[in-house]
Amino acid sequence: MSAVPAPAAARTIAPIAVGAVLTFLATRWGIAVDEGTQEYLVLGLSGVLSAAYYVVVLALESRWPRLGILLGSTARPTYEGKHRKASFRPATATPGSPEDHQP
């Protein structure tokens, strides 16, 4: 198993951490809900805030590359594929194929 590239790890962990912090701050606003509902809201809010943060910073990074630091690293991860994707070519009938021998 190969190691995860450092930029990929940082750019995965940073949005999750920011989402958790933002969710923690949001729970401090004093909105009163029962405990069971609060757990689900915190979990959902954490995921939504993490994803939103990642998408917004990724969009800003495309315009201002230095903002990639907000994702934990300005280096974009690169991946090397082990296998090439096979090209798809539809089969064609050739002389002598069953399609040519119709009664």
Side-chain angles (χ1 to χ4, degrees), residues 32-97:
V33 293
D34 64 89
E35 276 189 43
T37 304
Q38 185 177 11
E39 288 177 18
Y40 289 117
L41 287 174
V42 167
L43 285 172
L45 188 59
S46 183
V48 167
L49 288 174
S50 297
Y53 176 82
Y54 180 77
V55 169
V56 168
V57 174
L58 197 60
L60 292 172
E61 183 191 27
S62 68
R63 175 130 166 99
W64 298 288
R66 296 183 83 194
L67 289 180
I69 196 69
L70 296 174
L71 292 175
S73 174
T74 56
R76 288 191 172 220
T78 57
Y79 304 96
E80 294 180 23
K82 291 183 180 181
H83 308 286
R84 294 184 126 188
K85 184 177 178 182
S87 63
F88 175 76
R89 279 190 246 152
T92 57
T94 58
S97 65

